[in-house]
Amino acid sequence: MLRRDCLKILAGLGLAACLSSARAGERLRLWAAWDSPEGRHYVGLLDLGGTRVTALAELETPTRAHGLVDGDDGSVYVLARRPGEWMLHWAPRQGAAQWFWQDGDRRFSGHALRVADRLFTVESEQEDGRGMVVARRPDTQAELAAWPTHGTDPHELLWHQGALLVANGGVPTAPETGRQKLDMSRMDSSLVRLEPVSGKRLGQWRLADPRLSIRHLALHRSGTVGIALQAEHDEAAEKAAAPTFALFDGEKLHLPPRQSSQAGYGGSIVALEGGDAAFALGCPRTGRVVVLDQRGSQLRAPELAEACALAAGPGGELLAGGREQALQLPSGGAGAGLLAAPAYRFDNHWALASA
Amino acid sequence: MIRSLFLATGLLAASLSAQAADDWRQVAVPTYTPAHFVQGQGQYWFAPQAERFARQAAELQAALARDGACTAEGLAQGRQAWQKAVEAWARLSTVAVGPVNERRSVRRIDFLPVRPARIAEAVAQGQDTELAGAAAKGFGAMEWLLWAAPRDEAHCAYALRVAREVNGEAEALSRAFAERSGALQGDVAVVEAMNESLNQWLGGVELLRMQWWVRPLSDMQQKGKSAPTLPRQFADQAGEAASASRSERLVRWETLMRLVAAEEVPAPGQGLVSLAIYLRGKGLNPLADKLIAQVRLTDQALRQTLQGNEGEALAARRLAELKALVENEVTPVLDIRVGFSDADGD
């Protein structure tokens, strides 16, 4: 609360003072989004260096935020949760908040990717729900090109083998009814690879089970992509037992066997370095962070209520956000620490702040 | 099963009365079923609003056909008819259920923001509205044609074609809603309709908040403007219809308020049952009181927005609080799964 009070009192000039004191210790900082106890939505820069999570800067957003992309210069790109109307480029130290609003034809799908002088945003057409990847200028967010993702309900994308790899969640929705799922027999999820200059489709992969939605992606240093899945089966038991993790090696997309039951919901994924761990999966419906090796075998699954937001720290540690708590897990898996985060209900994703 | 029956001796005002919450402990309210809820909405709200919209859309087409938008008199009548038709449409579509969704009517006849370049292109090509994209037709296109476009034969003729299409859509909606009232039978259909109604009520709140408050305010702050530009921006600029956006905004809010907080207590199957009265019928008076209190707070904030932009921000916040209350506290007790919900996955 002291930090928040500081921010309120020193809004403007004081903001720099709050930030500079926090930077002096070179503490671990993350971009995050969260809801306050009053249900208001925020994005902010968090300090995880002590025994509790504190906000170094925060900004209220009109709706829930989703994906966060570090700008490498003290700024962050924030994408509205799907179907999203806004994108924010925010540099708290400069006090600069640049808002970009969609103009009616498309909505943001929640994620973006910065590659060199391009910002790639994932969007959906309002007319027919087609997924699109839009190449934009990072400074103005002006559109440079737009390419179809060859699917619907597109979600996260990453840079893989010199191309864009995009997750088409495949869940049918309509702009008139928001996030409501329509006619699930039409569900068609896929992973698609796009050439990053022309947008040409270079490959497309599907899982055998059409009710597994491919949503979140993370690239391991080995080149293998870990994928967080969300099950959309009609039967509750089938959904609860469904796998939540897939692997893609650049040629084959497959489900590792003997997966633990995570209520059919993998909320986010991060690649890890050090030790045997290769990926971590945030599973808010079971309240666990599932740590997996490179073949998708489960190594451990520490508990954390509403665990979802994940990041890999510079020392190889796993960082996870849950309801009013954050977890720090060293790369070896021993010596997990919990940080108090009172009044924070973290949203799905975190991003490490680099500058 | 009716626990007790209260026969309303007269209709309460549509706006919220100042009735103290405690009174409801002494007022017997019938137990309503989901069928009473959705059939009441269909018969006593949506079908009449669809009929009304069809009448206003027919008048809009007639006004433009009679004198054309190129004469001064025809233009004035067309503008007036447009505003009445837009308000009737807002009453029907603010909570977009059933045929409005199935026909994708919002997309067909109410694309926003207005795209003058797309409309001008369609006019120049002499396009039939069937071929023109959503951005070149509907109420937004008509607004630009009636207030901002050149007054030549091509533009006036195109305005009439757009009006015909709006009228055709209104007639189709009126027929569909009339048939729907009788078709909502059986447990599955009723539960789906109730789900849809509450989901779309939440969607209506969010649309009102974002499109009519948050976005205009953000745009104003970004561009350093002295006042927000509201969605019906061309009609707003003209002196004779300076309040087009604000009137529509109020109509949308009153629609949302009526469906959730009207205090009339009809006999089951004999009238519109608001969400608050439905909750009272289930004995959930504290929750109904909380809902009514939040609606009152929101109503006060929205009505104060005429006084300045600071009030606009408060109004947007109150709408968000109201949405959160219904999402987080009301829909769970009614076992409604909300597609707009913040609790749903991503």
Side-chain angles (χ1 to χ4, degrees):
Chain A
M1 290 304 289
L2 284 174
R3 174 66 62 187
R4 286 191 176 199
D5 293 344
C6 169
L7 287 167
K8 281 177 187 165
I9 294 163
L10 301 178
L13 286 176
L15 185 61
C18 294
L19 283 167
S20 59
S21 65
R23 290 196 72 200
E26 289 299 319
R27 303 176 106 173
L28 188 57
R29 291 172 304 131
L30 291 167
W31 300 112
W34 65 87
D35 277 3
S36 71
E38 301 78 36
R40 293 167 74 168
H41 315 296
Y42 293 88
V43 61
L45 183 64
L46 301 182
D47 176 8
L48 268 68
T51 56
R52 57 192 286 137
V53 175
T54 51
L56 304 173
E58 63 186 29
L59 183 69
E60 188 168 2
T61 56
T63 58
R64 274 178 71 175
H66 193 70
L68 303 140
V69 181
D70 182 65
D72 279 335
D73 57 357
S75 73
V76 63
Y77 297 90
V78 185
L79 281 296
R81 193 168 188 243
R82 73 179 168 91
E85 291 187 63
W86 57 267
M87 171 169 53
L88 166 68
H89 187 203
W90 180 43
R93 255 181 282 162
Q94 284 74 41
Q98 183 178 15
W99 295 89
F100 177 91
W101 289 87
Q102 290 282 17
D103 63 3
D105 285 348
R106 297 197 202 111
R107 290 286 181 270
F108 291 113
S109 295
H111 286 274
L113 174 71
R114 176 85 189 267
V115 181
D117 61 349
R118 291 286 180 272
L119 180 71
F120 294 100
T121 53
V122 186
E123 308 183 16
S124 289
E125 289 285 0
Q126 289 281 278
E127 180 72 39
D128 54 13
R130 275 185 309 145
M132 304 292 291
V133 168
V134 181
R136 298 179 177 279
R137 280 181 56 147
D139 53 350
T140 64
Q141 291 83 58
E143 181 177 323
L144 301 169
W147 310 306
T149 66
H150 307 281
T152 57
D153 182 29
H155 205 58
E156 190 159 25
L157 80 173
L158 58 71
W159 187 251
H160 184 237
Q161 298 178 346
L164 295 167
L165 196 63
V166 188
N168 283 315
V171 175
T173 59
E176 292 89 343
T177 48
R179 301 162 58 84
Q180 201 159 26
K181 296 160 186 171
L182 309 169
D183 188 10
M184 294 299 285
S185 65
R186 291 192 289 119
M187 183 173 163
D188 179 21
S189 182
S190 65
L191 191 64
V192 67
R193 181 187 284 150
L194 302 178
E195 203 278 327
V197 177
S198 68
K200 181 184 171 189
R201 176 168 43 180
L202 301 174
Q204 192 161 14
W205 296 264
R206 289 175 170 82
L207 291 165
D209 183 344
R211 292 298 186 94
L212 292 176
S213 181
I214 298 170
R215 304 202 75 81
H216 293 105
L217 312 171
L219 177 63
H220 187 248
R221 62 183 172 178
S222 64
T224 300
V225 176
I227 300 168
L229 305 171
Q230 292 173 16
E232 298 291 350
H233 302 87
D234 294 331
E235 296 298 325
E238 196 178 0
K239 185 173 184 171
T244 48
F245 179 69
L247 286 168
F248 178 65
D249 63 6
E251 293 181 357
K252 287 181 184 166
L253 173 65
H254 75 280
L255 297 171
R258 297 180 294 280
Q259 297 194 26
S260 61
S261 172
Q262 300 300 334
Y265 191 88
S268 70
I269 187 165
V270 68
L272 301 171
E273 294 186 14
D276 294 336
F279 297 101
L281 192 65
C283 300
R285 293 189 183 166
T286 53
R288 288 190 180 275
V289 181
V290 178
V291 181
L292 303 139
D293 68 15
Q294 208 176 317
R295 292 177 303 170
S297 298
Q298 184 171 316
L299 300 173
R300 48 195 160 268
E303 290 185 10
L304 181 67
E306 294 186 16
C308 196
L310 302 172
E317 69 271 38
L318 168 64
L319 310 162
R323 184 159 198 162
E324 301 195 342
Q325 276 187 322
L327 174 77
Q328 280 189 319
L329 190 66
S331 58
L338 278 176
L339 282 74
Y344 289 96
R345 187 175 185 181
F346 292 118
D347 231 303
N348 293 38
H349 301 291
W350 279 352
L352 208 59
S354 61
Chain B
M1 180 67 185
I2 298 174
R3 285 189 288 111
S4 54
L5 181 65
F6 170 79
L7 295 175
T9 53
L11 288 179
L12 299 177
S15 58
L16 297 173
S17 73
Q19 187 167 18
D22 284 355
D23 290 352
W24 289 102
R25 291 176 192 152
Q26 291 142 32
V27 175
V29 177
T31 298
Y32 300 103
T33 64
H36 296 140
F37 184 82
V38 296
Q39 287 164 0
Q41 281 195 341
Q43 195 174 342
Y44 298 98
W45 182 259
F46 289 112
Q49 297 308 333
E51 260 185 56
R52 183 176 177 173
F53 174 46
R55 281 198 304 276
Q56 297 298 342
E59 283 185 22
L60 172 59
Q61 182 186 327
L64 292 178
R66 194 165 48 240
D67 296 311
C70 280
T71 67
E73 194 178 347
L75 184 66
Q77 288 178 356
R79 287 175 173 179
Q80 200 173 30
W82 176 89
Q83 193 156 345
K84 285 183 179 173
V86 163
E87 289 181 14
W89 161 246
R91 281 193 190 86
L92 175 64
S93 65
T94 291
V95 177
V97 300
V100 174
N101 286 333
E102 291 151 16
R103 298 181 56 79
R104 303 200 70 189
S105 303
V106 175
R107 185 85 190 166
R108 279 170 184 247
I109 61 171
D110 198 15
F111 183 95
L112 284 171
V114 177
R115 298 282 175 73
R118 298 246 193 118
I119 307 162
E121 191 182 333
V123 173
Q125 292 173 357
Q127 272 185 345
D128 192 85
T129 50
E130 288 282 317
L131 300 173
K137 51 192 187 180
F139 283 116
M142 290 192 69
E143 181 195 353
W144 182 77
L145 289 160
L146 289 171
W147 272 277
R151 279 181 213 154
D152 57 35
E153 199 173 320
H155 285 85
C156 294
Y158 188 75
L160 180 56
R161 289 204 293 277
V162 175
R164 277 198 195 110
E165 189 174 82
V166 169
N167 189 24
E169 184 64 21
E171 286 174 352
L173 285 170
S174 181
R175 284 193 300 273
F177 273 107
E179 290 165 10
R180 184 178 188 255
S181 291
L184 287 176
Q185 305 289 340
D187 289 349
V188 173
V190 163
V191 168
E192 278 181 6
M194 186 151 182
N195 264 292
E196 182 185 47
S197 172
L198 292 182
N199 269 289
Q200 293 304 97
W201 186 90
L202 290 167
V205 173
E206 189 63 355
L207 185 77
L208 182 66
R209 186 176 79 91
M210 291 298 290
Q211 197 171 65
W212 297 80
W213 264 280
V214 174
R215 278 193 69 155
L217 279 175
S218 175
D219 180 61
M220 180 186 80
Q221 286 156 2
Q222 284 274 299
K223 295 177 180 167
K225 293 192 289 190
S226 59
T229 302
L230 295 172
R232 307 295 181 190
Q233 57 181 298
F234 295 103
D236 286 347
Q237 283 170 6
E240 66 271 32
S243 60
S245 288
R246 287 178 192 273
S247 298
E248 185 180 341
R249 201 164 73 169
L250 193 59
V251 165
R252 287 179 179 273
W253 165 241
E254 285 175 347
T255 299
L256 292 163
M257 187 164 61
R258 181 161 181 78
L259 291 175
V260 83
E263 296 189 357
E264 294 96 330
V265 183
Q270 301 299 309
L272 176 68
V273 181
S274 73
L275 184 58
I277 295 300
Y278 186 81
L279 292 172
R280 294 196 193 285
K282 288 186 166 299
L284 299 167
N285 276 322
L287 185 56
D289 290 342
K290 192 172 179 182
L291 178 61
I292 293 287
Q294 184 62 45
V295 169
R296 283 189 180 132
L297 269 180
T298 310
D299 190 48
Q300 282 168 10
L302 265 59
R303 289 180 194 280
Q304 282 169 3
T305 53
L306 294 173
Q307 294 170 10
N309 296 323
E310 198 172 319
E312 303 260 355
L314 179 64
R317 189 174 306 158
R318 292 285 184 249
L319 280 168
E321 289 166 0
L322 177 61
K323 176 172 171 270
L325 172 66
V326 173
E327 240 174 25
N328 300 332
E329 297 187 41
V330 177
T331 57
V333 301
L334 299 179
D335 198 22
I336 299 290
R337 181 179 171 82
V338 284
F340 282 92
S341 169
D342 283 345
D344 197 16
D346 213 333

